[in-house]
Amino acid sequence: MKHLLASAALGALLLGQAGLADAETPDDQLIVGFDMNNVLTLDPAAITGADAVQILNNVYDTIVRLDPETYELVPSIATSWEVAEDNRSITFQIDPDATFASGNPVTAEDVAYSLRRPIKLNLAQSTWLVSRGYTAENIEEMTEVVDDKTLRLHLPQADDPRLLMMTLTMNGPGSILDRAVVEEHDDGDMGTAWLTNNSAGSGAFTLNQWRANEYVILTKNPEYWGDEPSMERVLMRHLPESQSQRLALEQGDLDIGYSLGAADLRALEANEDITVETVPSAGFYYLGVSMKNEILANPKVREALRYLIDYDGINSAIMPYFGVERQVPVNSYAFAAADDPGYELDVERAKELLAEAGYPDGFDTTLRVISEQEFLDSATAIQGTLAQAGINAEIITGDGGQIYGAMRSREFDMLVGRGGGGQNPHPDSNLRAVAYNPDNSDEAGLTNYQGWRTSFFDEELNEMIENALVEGDVEVQEQMYADIQARMQELVMSIQPFSEVVVTAAYQDDVEGVVVDVWTSRFEDVTKNR
């Protein structure tokens, strides 16, 4: 290790030893438990999954950020920005005080280099910018360095600049790297090998050490240009077993636990020394149907299904720590998100609709679900309420590849699943995932679109989604998104959400400033009130 651990408590935790019942972590060191099975590299351009983002949020700044409470865009590396009248460029002013951990000032050249790098390397995080029209051929031209502290980012296609900026709040596509430091370690790979386990950022912490599936140690950045963090060091420990995190929290060996199961969270809520906090996150749990099935293609049947989900019962008994009730396929934190329509379990109303559709005695079908507890329990509950209206749904279980594989090949009837976009608070993220389907042919193979997977197609809705994205007047745009959500209710979509995905963390009562959402989580504002 580059630094000696400052306490026996830290050393014991690194060695996996149990702490004493009255153990307490050091006042200036934060110990975090999470699951790092999917952390394969710490190169921002190559990471996959939220766990790596949670690490890099503390090491790299982005050009703008999302406020974790309001989901509004706020300054970061850029102190201000101006969108062109035609919505085809954004001019960012770089903070004159922004400094990398090396001591180098952050310049517009650094920002341009950082945005170009994932695309030039064609690494995992390039997908976010490629989807906005950037390519290896146009990225140099699109990232215009006006002067040392001014970057003009051009939009290669008609788009919403707000959505592009929201994309750049994410570490991965938006991470700002110290170009000079990375180029010192460029062996023809733009520093990829070196950045796997080293950092070149301007964040509140620097990467001290990473051992795959063991731990990450972050050290306070002495050159940090923002408010000085209270923590000298952060130890992020690989604790994939929920029970291990719960035990460490109860013993005082852990400050924050991010990967806890429902049973352990329930037990921790009874502990007066522990805070359990839940916040909404990307996507939904839903009942999906295939429009290839002629019965389910009938809108009256799909409307009946709306009234055969016990929303309140599922969310109160099954979904705590997994989801909260949501019936609209736009995340609650997205701007212009509609209120829930207030559907309730109403078997008699469902029977009336089925009779109108020509199925007064119900019908036989299949209901696919992955073999994980909250999915199985939800599917079983839905199976029971379907039966009350004469719908005999045979449950078919399997792993994610089997169940979602049937959906991707469009060979299913009904399915309880999870998904629906929402990685940022722009409704387009949800709408593209759930409703948009530019080509409904089997040959199109648009497996990223749940509209295509479920064979749902409405040309007018497609046009409405496309037009709303590029509308430059914010008030008009918000009304367009309200109209889209109303249209979706009228059409009776093939995806009916019953719960919005949440993330939950547990932390010691004397730890303050915790951000639960892993996509926006940072430790620079965490303090210990002792």
Side-chain angles (χ1 to χ4, degrees):
M1 288 185 193
K2 296 179 182 176
H3 296 270
L4 294 175
L5 297 176
S7 74
L10 272 174
L13 192 61
L14 276 174
L15 294 171
Q17 298 170 0
L20 299 174
D22 59 351
E24 191 174 79
T25 60
D27 291 349
D28 63 351
Q29 300 189 44
L30 189 70
I31 304 179
V32 178
F34 77 136
D35 184 343
M36 25 184 325
N37 277 321
N38 295 321
V39 180
L40 307 177
T41 178
L42 293 178
D43 178 350
I47 61 168
T48 57
D51 301 317
V53 171
Q54 191 172 15
I55 299 169
L56 297 188
N57 281 345
N58 300 286
V59 177
Y60 293 94
D61 287 311
T62 51
I63 196 162
V64 288
R65 290 185 187 180
L66 283 176
D67 184 299
E69 294 184 0
T70 66
Y71 296 95
E72 295 289 333
L73 290 164
V74 295
S76 181
I77 287 293
T79 56
S80 63
W81 54 89
E82 182 178 354
V83 177
E85 287 187 11
D86 63 0
N87 270 10
R88 294 303 294 265
S89 69
I90 314 164
T91 302
F92 296 98
Q93 300 300 323
I94 309 303
D95 194 317
D97 296 326
T99 307
F100 288 111
S102 66
N104 294 330
V106 179
T107 68
E109 286 285 359
D110 293 302
V111 178
Y113 172 82
S114 301
L115 298 180
R116 295 165 184 169
R117 184 175 173 271
I119 291 179
K120 288 185 175 182
L121 291 171
N122 193 30
L123 292 174
Q125 292 299 305
S126 66
T127 303
W128 294 100
L129 292 177
V130 169
S131 69
R132 310 255 62 88
Y134 294 96
T135 66
E137 289 71 35
N138 70 21
I139 189 64
E140 292 270 354
E141 179 185 0
M142 295 292 104
T143 48
E144 177 190 354
V145 177
V146 178
D147 58 41
D148 199 43
K149 292 294 183 180
T150 308
L151 178 86
R152 182 167 295 125
L153 181 60
H154 297 272
L155 280 66
Q157 61 191 26
D159 206 339
D160 185 348
R162 273 198 295 178
L163 177 54
L164 177 57
M165 285 191 284
M166 288 174 182
T167 299
L168 294 178
T169 65
M170 294 189 294
N171 260 297
S175 304
I176 307 304
L177 284 70
D178 187 335
R179 176 178 179 174
V181 169
V182 175
E183 288 183 341
E184 288 176 9
H185 302 278
D186 186 350
D187 293 326
D189 61 353
M190 298 186 76
T192 297
W194 183 78
L195 284 167
T196 297
N197 50 21
N198 292 278
S199 63
S202 59
F205 298 88
T206 60
L207 177 62
N208 179 304
Q209 189 173 15
W210 166 45
R211 288 190 179 178
N213 289 341
E214 290 188 42
Y215 58 82
V216 173
I217 300 175
L218 306 176
T219 304
K220 183 163 72 173
N221 174 9
E223 300 289 337
Y224 187 50
W225 54 285
D227 294 336
E228 181 181 0
S230 295
M231 299 297 112
E232 291 290 331
R233 184 178 290 108
V234 177
L235 169 64
M236 302 182 73
R237 179 78 198 280
H238 178 51
L239 292 173
E241 299 83 12
S242 174
Q243 192 171 15
S244 298
Q245 288 196 34
R246 172 188 165 186
L247 181 62
L249 282 161
E250 290 174 334
Q251 293 178 331
D253 290 330
L254 199 63
D255 292 309
I256 310 172
Y258 277 102
S259 308
L260 288 144
D264 291 309
L265 287 165
R266 195 170 291 112
L268 288 169
E269 284 217 274
N271 188 326
E272 62 181 15
D273 296 323
I274 303 291
T275 297
V276 176
E277 183 178 353
T278 296
V279 298
S281 189
F284 315 92
Y285 291 86
Y286 60 80
L287 174 64
V289 303
S290 173
M291 303 276 277
K292 278 184 171 290
N293 181 311
E294 64 177 16
I295 298 175
L296 300 171
N298 188 316
K300 290 289 185 181
V301 172
R302 297 198 305 278
E303 188 176 0
L305 296 179
R306 283 177 171 171
Y307 296 100
L308 290 173
I309 299 173
D310 185 359
Y311 301 93
D312 181 65
I314 289 173
N315 282 286
S316 61
I318 298 169
M319 300 309 292
Y321 314 116
F322 296 111
V324 294
E325 186 171 336
R326 182 73 173 149
Q327 299 173 352
V328 177
V330 173
N331 276 112
S332 60
Y333 50 80
F335 74 85
D339 293 335
D340 275 348
Y343 301 128
E344 296 180 346
L345 177 64
D346 188 338
V347 176
E348 293 309 311
R349 175 65 178 141
K351 286 180 176 179
E352 291 173 4
L353 289 163
L354 288 172
E356 291 175 25
Y359 303 99
D361 300 320
F363 54 88
D364 293 338
T365 189
T366 59
L367 178 60
R368 296 177 186 267
V369 60
I370 62 174
S371 301
E372 294 180 16
Q373 200 61 50
E374 75 268 28
F375 292 92
L376 281 169
D377 289 348
S378 297
T380 301
I382 291 171
Q383 180 191 44
T385 48
L386 291 174
Q388 293 179 43
I391 300 174
N392 178 33
E394 176 192 357
I395 289 181
I396 299 173
T397 62
D399 60 27
Q402 294 167 323
I403 300 304
Y404 291 122
M407 194 183 194
R408 285 189 289 268
S409 63
R410 311 219 278 190
E411 297 173 347
F412 76 104
D413 295 322
M414 302 172 68
L415 181 147
V416 170
R418 180 178 62 198
Q423 286 83 0
N424 61 56
H426 196 295
D428 188 78
S429 174
N430 296 126
L431 298 175
R432 297 275 169 176
V434 173
Y436 188 74
N437 180 5
D439 184 347
N440 199 40
S441 67
D442 288 339
E443 295 74 27
L446 302 176
T447 57
N448 287 335
Y449 296 104
Q450 287 173 325
W452 183 87
R453 292 184 189 183
T454 58
S455 305
F456 176 87
F457 178 81
D458 184 76
E459 187 171 352
E460 181 181 342
L461 188 61
N462 285 342
E463 291 177 0
M464 292 174 74
I465 292 170
E466 291 169 352
N467 292 338
L469 177 65
V470 298
E471 173 55 53
D473 185 305
V474 173
E475 290 186 5
V476 173
Q477 185 187 47
E478 291 188 355
Q479 182 58 54
M480 292 172 79
Y481 281 122
D483 293 342
I484 287 169
Q485 291 168 87
R487 171 77 177 164
M488 291 164 69
Q489 294 304 312
E490 292 170 7
L491 291 170
V492 192
M493 299 292 294
S494 55
I495 297 286
Q496 177 55 54
F498 55 84
S499 194
E500 182 175 30
V501 174
V502 299
V503 291
T504 304
Y507 49 92
Q508 301 294 339
D509 232 16
D510 58 7
V511 177
E512 300 178 350
V514 176
V515 177
V516 173
D517 179 21
V518 296
W519 295 99
T520 56
S521 170
R522 287 178 170 81
F523 301 134
E524 62 201 63
D525 295 325
V526 172
T527 60
K528 296 185 180 181
N529 184 22
R530 293 176 177 170

